[in-house]
Amino acid sequence: MKEIRWHARAGQGAKTASQLYAAALLQAGKSVQAFPEYGPERRGAPMRAYTRFDERPIRRHDAVAMPDAVVVLEPSLLRDVDVEDGLREGGLVLVNAEGSANGYLAVPAERLAAGLGSRFVNLVMVGALAAALGEPSLEELQSAAAALLGAKVDPHALAAALAAGWEHVWRG
Amino acid sequence: MKEIRWHARAGQGAKTASQLYAAALLQAGKSVQAFPEYGPERRGAPMRAYTRFDERPIRRHDAVAMPDAVVVLEPSLLRDVDVEDGLREGGLVLVNAEGSANGYLAVPAERLAAGLGSRFVNLVMVGALAAALGEPSLEELQSAAAALLGAKVDPHALAAALAAGWEHVWRG
Amino acid sequence: MASVRTARLLTGSEAVANAMRQIDPDVVPIYPITPQTPIIERFTRFVADGETSTEIVNVESEHSAMSAAVGSALAGARTMTATSSQGLALMVEVIYIAAGMRAPIVMAVGNRALSAPINIHGDHSDGYLARDSGAIQLFAENAQEAYDLMVMAPRIAEHPDVLLPVLVGQDGFTITHSAEPVELLPDEAVRAFVGEYRIPAPLLDLSAPRSQGMFAMPDYYFELRHQIAAAMERAREVIEEVAAEYEELSGRRLSALEEYRLEDAERALVCMGSTAGTVKDVVDELRAEGERVGLLEVRSFRPLPIERIRAACSGCSEVAVLDRADTPGGVGALHAECAAILCGSRARVRGHVYGLGGRDLSPAEIRAVFAGAAPRYVGLRSAS
Amino acid sequence: MASVRTARLLTGSEAVANAMRQIDPDVVPIYPITPQTPIIERFTRFVADGETSTEIVNVESEHSAMSAAVGSALAGARTMTATSSQGLALMVEVIYIAAGMRAPIVMAVGNRALSAPINIHGDHSDGYLARDSGAIQLFAENAQEAYDLMVMAPRIAEHPDVLLPVLVGQDGFTITHSAEPVELLPDEAVRAFVGEYRIPAPLLDLSAPRSQGMFAMPDYYFELRHQIAAAMERAREVIEEVAAEYEELSGRRLSALEEYRLEDAERALVCMGSTAGTVKDVVDELRAEGERVGLLEVRSFRPLPIERIRAACSGCSEVAVLDRADTPGGVGALHAECAAILCGSRARVRGHVYGLGGRDLSPAEIRAVFAGAAPRYVGLRSAS
Amino acid sequence: MSRLKTLVANERGTPPLAGGHALCQGCGIPVVVRTVLDSIATPKVVVGATGCLEVATTRFPGTAWNVPWMHVAFENAAAVASGIEAAYRALARRGALPQDDPITFVVFAGDGGTYDIGLQALSGALERGHRFLFVCYDNQAYMNTGIQRSGATPLGASTTTTPAGLESLGKMQRRKDMTAIAAAHRIPFVGQAAASHWYDLSRKVEQAVAAGGPAFLNVLSDCPLGWGHEPKLFKSVLDLAVETRLWPLYEVVDGSYRITYLPKRRVPVTEWLALQARFTHLQRPDAEKIVAEIQRRVDEDWDRLLRRASSDAAATEVS
Amino acid sequence: MSRLKTLVANERGTPPLAGGHALCQGCGIPVVVRTVLDSIATPKVVVGATGCLEVATTRFPGTAWNVPWMHVAFENAAAVASGIEAAYRALARRGALPQDDPITFVVFAGDGGTYDIGLQALSGALERGHRFLFVCYDNQAYMNTGIQRSGATPLGASTTTTPAGLESLGKMQRRKDMTAIAAAHRIPFVGQAAASHWYDLSRKVEQAVAAGGPAFLNVLSDCPLGWGHEPKLFKSVLDLAVETRLWPLYEVVDGSYRITYLPKRRVPVTEWLALQARFTHLQRPDAEKIVAEIQRRVDEDWDRLLRRASSDAAATEVS
Amino acid sequence: MAGLRPWEELPIGGAVEPDPALRPRTGGWRTGLRPQVDLDGCVNCLLCWVYCPDSAIRVVDGAFAGFDLDLCKGCEICAAVCPAETIAMVADDG
Amino acid sequence: MAGLRPWEELPIGGAVEPDPALRPRTGGWRTGLRPQVDLDGCVNCLLCWVYCPDSAIRVVDGAFAGFDLDLCKGCEICAAVCPAETIAMVADDG
Ligand SMILES: Cc1ncc(C[n+]2csc(CCOP(=O)(O)OP(=O)(O)O)c2C)c(N)n1
Ligand SMILES: Cc1ncc(C[n+]2csc(CCOP(=O)(O)OP(=O)(O)O)c2C)c(N)n1
Ligand code: SF4
Ligand code: SF4
Ligand code: SF4
Ligand code: SF4
Ligand code: SF4
Ligand code: SF4
Ligand SMILES: [Mg+2]
Ligand SMILES: [Mg+2]
């Protein structure tokens, strides 16, 4: 089983990211689980979400204590939040940031999204994560995004954002 | 233990009678219990009350199923209600009525009360019951009535009503 | 049981209203419901006549009665109220909250059946509904005990180690409306016994403004709510301490558990409330007939005197537990909890449900229970 | 558990909202409360888009939600609603009434802790509050089961021998807000499975005017209320009948009780809801380590499958029962009832309280429970 | 057919509420119930809140009701009716009603079940616009449980929870103006009526049912037991409430006030008070102020009502 | 001292509600709370109903409140305040208060906790005459649970329980007029205000506290999340509610209506609707009727308000 | 509780159809007086019918037709409201 | 949940006294912009203070005295209401 933790501010789409990533993996034949962690704090406050996936059916419902990867959608969180908390040995930390960020894998998602004229920083990071972990494929991501969000948003915009993140990491 | 059942219409003072009788016995050193049996029906509907007394402390709280005596404050009830229901062998039935009533012990309480210019048919019947059962004494009854009801009603009127019933039976 | 000589004839309601008069609480929110109504009626008459100086709050529903009580008790005022049945059901949300906020409210309960169908008579369904709430629940056997427990209640509720609501239950009609000999303590003795009202963090203390009734996330909820369970544990001892002190004052000992002729009993019956009195008579009869039977009268349903129940039944081979409330599709509360307590002992534990909605329990039926000859639902009219 | 290939990613709330869409109930009174709100939100969106023709009643409180549901269900319309926590507490009075009036209402519950302190996360306190009410209570392990039970629920509720409200519980957030693979049945299959709504005495049948919700004195209350307990007994069988039929349709068997690797188990753990999934993983691990352990997952809390629990644990020497709700001053509900059921068997029954207000239960803690090394309150932060 | 003939005709055969119920001798409630239900020609379905009416008509296994009748609890009659009405609409839409007749839904609740514990459910139902007629039989106290004060209990009344006593002159708050509160909900029809004025009441029922939305009627109903008067004074005591202007008869149609009965002369409230034992203590010298206050408020409220009615009438004329 | 200086002075040191709370960026609620509490010179004790304000200010173990504050549940804030106020009076009478300062009791509840689930407790408290100021911050929906319709939600608004959809144009009922309902209780002071009009609000608070009995303030407060507008439009969107006459500013003192702000010109409601995403669907052609209906009701209500105010003013002049 | 039905025989949810035989004969509640009419004086206004709380006024073919003494509780309202003053309360001797 | 207190150490009933240290530093919630004032233009009307939802306007001796960026969530209301138009939203680079 693999476990991902997503950090963001409420309203930045971490829940969507966690679900989209799970939905794509589900299409890819994995068993998955995605859930957010809410508090009473409102838009702007730090929050978390999680994705779990495995070859075998996932039955457990305990908290994700030791994630295999951490994705930080909002760089300012690095100030207040210990994003490495519980991270497994050798675990991956992906941060939406320019250049390098505390030695974490930086993805300039803000800029990449802006470059596409979109707000989908979260999707860029999902693409980046998939590339970093090697699964699911970009196509699976894109088709899952179309199914999950396509009713409200142009699927091409979704696909582009995912691709931008994916390629950024893939190309290294 | 002795058990009394009182029959009346709601509003005719059966509850007061059951309590007054108990209060007097309490003064006389008995252990006592008095309780009414209510339904959703209103003033005018048939209802019952009970008095229990004993030399030993009364602890039981079950229903009175087999009374030693039954007092009927309202003669018209004889039409609708089986006042003898559960009555113990040799048990006494006292009815507010002129002359004789189905062979029960009749006490013309209505008339006796009216003769005193009072409405205390129930007290007349309490006096009658005490005389019939031989306890408590008229004095105990009267002093209990003064304590229980004296704040609202002239104790002399109470005493007179009790005496009227008591004497009617006593004199036979 | 009152000594008959000095006792007055009072119903359970009147007895409790007198206890309230003597305690003279600061605030009493009230809402009528049969069969507790005579309590608040008698009590407001005391107020109207200037016999207490209580602030009556005539609320518009029981939910508001308990809500006002929480506000008042935590503001810093001794607060009591009363309810029954649907009233308790309507306010139960706030009873849990009162416990969680540690509001030492004392509430008289005229225990009554729950709808549907609507019924105004006695059973313990309403009390059972609140059995997880964190409120202490005491059940009186008769009018005297209702009075005694009501006088003890503020001392238990307000004890610094407890600080929980206390519900003093008496069976609807069977106690609330039955006149029995009741001995009242002198007014001053009661005032002295209950003492001043003190809580650790009164809201009206402006020198230390506090926020009360907080929002707790999973990081703290378990710990905050656990205060109640811990306070309940302590309440077991506090109840006995208060009972001992009350015995000195009154000569009457109201322990959380009364063991009646249980010393060498082979068969025991467990029950609460007014039924216990009837059972005592039956036990005496059976003892006279040579049967080794006894009664375990649970006076404190919450906290349940677990260790004492275990000890009391250690010698028994059969224990019949009587629930005056039903648990459709499950196991009766007192039955199940006694079973859990006695699990591993040599006792066979049986459960019976009886007396719902004021159904009478006769001595003959109690004998059948002792004899193991009673059906699970005692007193139910069945075609079979 | 859904087969991953054909499943969609849905939260428990979405899964249940889809079940409701497919059932297309006549009337759905709603009132928001976390964590069930996503259910009614998703469902009203279906209505707004014309995907069902349900009459939504946007009531002003949960008390009214259940009251409107009783009126509607007994008028003759298939009726569903949803709630959580304080909402369930506020309406609990009317849940008892719904059961007594035999109203087959189906209610989704996003189980959540009760105040105070206020907390929006999962535990079973709200369901426990209604454990005597006469409502059937089913607990789902995951989103798929929440869907499945919701589809089964009308069949159980409306069965002529049952006619009781059915509460379909799913753990707040852990299921309501977790997206998992869920396989939906075809819409028509669900419609056909649940069939038409039929009750014996619809109020709107003018040809036979009836009075419903009567006043009952002690002469009839016990008998009238006993209908519920009798219907619960029958519900035990009905649940299995419906489960069998549902299995034919879906390939998934949702029995009142799931025995997981219990065949030759020496030590068993009993629990409900989402925790069961985690426990299964731990059982597999321990089995792999050679330990003879198993799980008893209770899916039907009411009616509790008493005989089956007894049978399932017959071989065990240790049974640890996990209550996700506290009973301060008493014995946990599932613990006590299992103890009563297993009393006399060779099993030692232990009780634990865990997970209040969303507190996580980790595999390590579950191992400790199996090992007999866990404290009574598992997961509680304590100084000692 | 005259209105009275219509009422008689509507009750013939199986009257909606039959005699042989267990309400007190001389209770005003059945007069209200009969007049209301007899004024409705369609089939009726009745919902009741806990209270004297419910308790005294439906002791299992007997019932005094010949129409479909439902009771769930004390505080939720309007919510129950909402559910029934929603079911009716849902089933009608699906063509699944047991029969085609249009049904009128009527709720009966006492003042306790309307002003106090039932207010919220009522208010919600009014806001949602369910089509039913909610009738409050207002006997000014919780009578079923033995005469406790309610939000409808008038200033100065002695009840068992506001007893007159050595240090008390009865209830110390004015009554809630429930009719005005209902009117503030801006539903199609709100009316205030009295059991003593059958014609006015019957006419209002007819309007209410025709209004095409939620309607509320507040009907003063006497309780000989709780008010402390002989049953036979039923009409006198209610008439005086109307004549003293203590209980004005009026209606609010689509938000506009209209007085439906104008008392001839100013009768002092003392005449009304004097008939009832619950006000006996107001004859104490220390109660003079209270009596004056009661009169002052009656006058003030009446003046405001006149003002509303006349400005609304003027507006209607203009538009 | 100018009113503003007074507010500043009252907040100095430890402000009743401190910054560092977790309400959304640009939420109107804290503006209401600060203006209300800063307008009160005495010590204050605050009671809160469940809702955004409560949840976002009191996550254990932190609190944003520097004054004594209590929350019990969603539906019972007025009842809790009744108990606290009764305790205050009881303790004062016995000379047992911790200190002598007179205390002002203020309740904050959202529209859900006021119009809907909290209405009954509020109504009861008003009838009993407890001395507190009940402030409804009316953001026209249940925001804390994610924007569900309440009795305060206006006609046509899309919420998550009245979503606009293929077959839905949002909420199909008009909003409850809670201010009028409170006014019908005939308490000493009722006011309608808006978070955007601080001076008017502050003045009303002062009057309310001085009124010597229960007082009710209904304050329109925006929710950028639920209304769907940028936070910075806070004042514009509220101003427009007032200018369109959709949310008139007025007060009812001892039963008499007085308008406290007269909009200059008739601004069509469409201007207000256009600012908010919750009304976007009203631009659909099939929604024209709804928009017209909204305007019609605004006009009708405004006319009625004017009428009440002018006839009450005339009466006051006469008397 | 002899004669009462066992639980198995009760209607579901306690819903009952009306059965006049199960209604109390409230005529027995009268406490001394019963109404008596002098039909000669009756103007058939039916106000007695309107205001009788116990449905104890018989109307046949739209006309006043006497009292149902099985129901009449003797409240005297009919006598009080009769504009023709043609109802009197008399001793209730059976 | 390291660093969280055990149940024995929590205040009774969860009643807490205010502790500013436990309040979230909501300045972090800003999403790109922060307010900046041109003090020259400020007329000290304090409308920004009145309407700031986050108590992030400092007032010293009755006069506007800048922003508390630890609290300011960047809602732009102050900029919108300032009658002197002397508050601007600028990039939040710190
Ligand atoms: C929740 C709840 N609280 C209290 C009661 C008790 N109760 C039943 S009826 C009633 C009084 C009813 O008063 P009202 O509505 O005025 O009707 P009336 O008795 O005058 O007919 C009360 C207090 C109840 N049944 N349910
Ligand atoms: C009895 C009960 N039902 C439902 C809830 C869930 N709930 C909490 S706050 C809230 C909405 C509050 O709305 P409102 O009063 O308008 O305040 P706002 O959220 O807008 O601040 C709801 C539905 C609850 N806490 N208690
Ligand atoms: S108590 Fe009053 S309202 Fe109730 S039945 Fe008797 S007279 Fe009627
Ligand atoms: S949801 Fe709306 S009301 Fe609630 S905090 Fe956010 S902006 Fe304020
Ligand atoms: S009220 Fe008198 S006149 Fe009129 S119908 Fe009756 S008996 Fe005849
Ligand atoms: S006395 Fe009363 S009950 Fe009898 S007929 Fe006349 S009005 Fe009816
Ligand atoms: S609003 Fe503008 S002018 Fe007024 S005090 Fe603030 S910065 Fe200065
Ligand atoms: S941007 Fe918003 S939070 Fe920041 S100071 Fe201005 S008004 Fe306050
Ligand atoms: Mg009433
Ligand atoms: Mg709101």
Side-chain angles (χ1 to χ4, degrees), chain C residues 62-63 65-66 82-83 86-95 107:
Chain C
E62 289 89 350
H63 196 281
M66 187 44 72
T83 200
Q86 306 307 114
L88 198 150
L90 183 57
M91 67 162 64
V92 73
E93 178 194 12
V94 196
I95 299 178
M107 177 160 75

Side-chain angles (χ1 to χ4, degrees), chain C residues 119-379:
Chain C
N119 169 288
I120 56 175
H121 285 81
D123 73 28
H124 297 160
S125 314
D126 49 6
Y128 276 36
L129 175 60
R131 70 183 178 274
D132 289 356
S133 66
I136 290 173
Q137 285 198 52
L138 311 176
F139 282 82
E141 182 189 319
N142 50 40
Q144 179 69 60
E145 286 196 11
Y147 170 82
D148 295 334
L149 292 173
M150 200 69 184
V151 174
M152 290 165 58
R155 285 289 302 280
I156 299 167
E158 298 162 19
H159 191 287
D161 293 349
V162 176
L163 292 169
L164 292 175
V166 175
L167 277 48
V168 177
Q170 47 176 309
D171 289 356
F173 285 95
T174 318
I175 307 182
T176 56
H177 287 62
S178 281
E180 300 184 315
V182 175
E183 231 175 283
L184 303 185
L185 295 172
D187 292 1
E188 322 74 57
V190 172
R191 285 315 303 262
F193 183 76
V194 298
E196 286 295 308
Y197 183 75
R198 294 239 177 290
I199 53 167
L203 186 75
L204 293 182
D205 177 2
L206 300 171
S207 69
R210 287 185 191 81
S211 295
Q212 311 209 17
M214 305 282 289
F215 187 95
M217 288 289 288
D219 56 357
Y220 270 115
Y221 177 86
F222 201 168
E223 284 70 28
L224 284 168
R225 191 88 196 152
H226 189 65
Q227 291 187 359
I228 302 174
M232 276 283 184
E233 294 301 319
R234 262 298 278 146
R236 290 210 174 83
E237 299 151 43
V238 170
I239 289 171
E240 300 310 326
E241 288 160 24
V242 173
E245 220 181 294
Y246 188 75
E247 183 178 19
E248 276 174 37
L249 191 66
S250 67
R252 292 181 298 273
R253 173 77 173 209
L254 286 101
S255 183
L257 194 74
E258 183 178 328
E259 302 170 34
Y260 187 77
R261 308 192 71 173
L262 214 58
E263 321 81 47
D264 61 343
E266 263 296 315
R267 284 173 291 141
L269 188 154
V270 183
C271 74
M272 306 197 297
S274 63
T275 304
T278 319
V279 175
K280 285 176 183 168
D281 276 9
V282 175
V283 166
D284 284 2
E285 288 170 22
L286 290 171
R287 282 278 180 180
E289 294 164 21
E291 309 245 10
R292 281 163 58 189
V293 297
L295 164 71
L296 212 96
E297 177 177 6
V298 174
R299 217 173 261 118
S300 173
F301 177 46
R302 289 292 178 261
L304 197 63
I306 292 179
E307 292 309 327
R308 291 189 55 203
I309 292 175
R310 201 187 327 266
C313 294
S314 61
C316 298
S317 59
E318 288 209 43
V319 176
V321 186
L322 264 57
D323 277 289
R324 195 169 186 174
D326 197 15
T327 299
V331 185
L334 206 53
H335 168 203
E337 299 192 28
C338 285
I341 293 166
L342 300 175
C343 217
S345 82
R346 71 182 197 92
R348 246 175 45 90
V349 183
R350 257 180 304 124
H352 295 277
V353 173
Y354 79 103
L356 301 193
R359 177 62 47 88
D360 185 40
L361 184 70
S362 68
E365 288 166 327
I366 296 167
R367 279 173 168 266
V369 169
F370 271 119
R376 173 150 179 233
Y377 290 90
V378 187

Side-chain angles (χ1 to χ4, degrees), chain H residues 1-78:
Chain H
M1 276 180 285
L4 301 178
R5 282 177 285 160
W7 75 265
E8 295 90 339
E9 293 174 17
L10 302 183
I12 284 188
V16 303
E17 294 187 44
D19 176 353
L22 293 173
R23 292 188 188 126
R25 280 193 30 248
T26 51
W29 297 24
R30 285 195 305 279
T31 44
L33 298 174
R34 66 172 170 82
Q36 193 174 57
V37 73
D38 177 356
L39 263 184
D40 275 1
C42 172
V43 299
N44 252 326
C45 66
L46 295 189
L47 286 182
C48 54
W49 176 85
V50 164
Y51 291 119
C52 171
D54 288 288
S55 307
I57 306 290
R58 289 213 185 95
V59 174
V60 176
D61 294 336
F64 174 87
F67 306 99
D68 185 339
L69 290 178
D70 274 357
L71 298 179
C72 167
K73 295 186 188 131
C75 68
E76 307 191 36
I77 289 175
C78 52

Side-chain angles (χ1 to χ4, degrees), chain E residues 16-83:
Chain E
L17 175 69
H21 52 68
L23 290 148
C24 293
Q25 190 194 62
C27 175
I29 301 173
V31 180
V32 176
V33 174
R34 289 180 51 232
T35 307
V36 168
L37 295 181
D38 291 348
S39 301
I40 301 170
T42 66
K44 296 156 270 281
V45 166
V46 173
V47 175
T50 315
C52 279
L53 175 62
E54 167 263 334
V55 156
T57 56
T58 59
R59 174 176 174 166
F60 186 87
T63 175
W65 298 91
N66 287 315
V67 291
W69 177 94
M70 186 181 287
H71 160 261
V72 176
F74 183 21
E75 62 273 44
N76 61 359
V80 172
S82 299

Side-chain angles (χ1 to χ4, degrees), chain C residues 24 26 53 55 58-60 63-64 67-68 72 93 97 203-204 206 209-215 217 219-220, chain F residues 45 58-60 62-63 66 68-72 75-76 79 83-84 86-87 89-90 93-94 99 120-121 128:
Chain C
D24 196 6
D26 297 304
S53 61
E55 188 76 29
N58 264 297
V59 292
E60 77 296 334
H63 196 281
S64 284
S67 301
S72 167
E93 178 194 12
I97 297 176
L203 186 75
L204 293 182
L206 300 171
R210 287 185 191 81
S211 295
Q212 311 209 17
M214 305 282 289
F215 187 95
M217 288 289 288
D219 56 357
Y220 270 115
Chain F
V45 166
T58 59
R59 172 174 174 167
F60 186 87
T63 176
N66 288 315
W69 177 93
M70 185 181 288
H71 160 261
V72 176
E75 63 273 43
N76 61 359
I84 296 171
R89 272 186 290 125
R93 198 179 329 122
R94 298 186 173 186
Q99 62 280 311
Q120 191 158 291
R128 291 190 300 274

Side-chain angles (χ1 to χ4, degrees), chain F residues 25 29 36-37 46-47 72 78 88 93 95 115 130 133 136 140 150 165 234 251 304:
Chain F
Q25 192 194 61
I29 302 172
V36 168
L37 295 181
V46 173
V47 175
V72 176
Y88 176 72
R93 198 179 329 122
Y115 289 64
H130 294 280
L133 168 60
C136 171
Q140 305 199 320
S150 78
F234 158 79
E251 64 199 15
R304 176 168 297 101

Side-chain angles (χ1 to χ4, degrees), chain B residues 5-86:
Chain B
R5 186 167 70 214
W6 308 81
H7 287 276
R9 298 198 176 278
Q12 290 178 329
K15 181 177 146 197
T16 304
S18 71
Q19 289 195 358
L20 171 58
Y21 193 66
L25 286 159
L26 176 61
Q27 282 199 3
K30 297 273 152 72
S31 180
V32 298
Q33 201 179 68
F35 54 98
E37 197 174 277
Y38 285 114
E41 296 84 6
R42 300 302 146 129
R43 252 207 307 197
M47 60 82 67
R48 297 162 186 219
Y50 303 89
T51 307
R52 271 193 172 120
F53 59 102
D54 201 350
E55 303 298 323
R56 295 179 314 154
I58 298 180
R59 298 178 299 192
R60 59 195 292 179
H61 283 103
D62 58 325
V64 170
M66 301 176 62
D68 300 276
V70 170
V71 186
V72 184
L73 300 187
E74 167 65 40
S76 69
L77 288 173
L78 296 178
R79 279 204 309 257
D80 301 335
V81 178
D82 175 11
V83 299
E84 274 183 77
D85 182 38

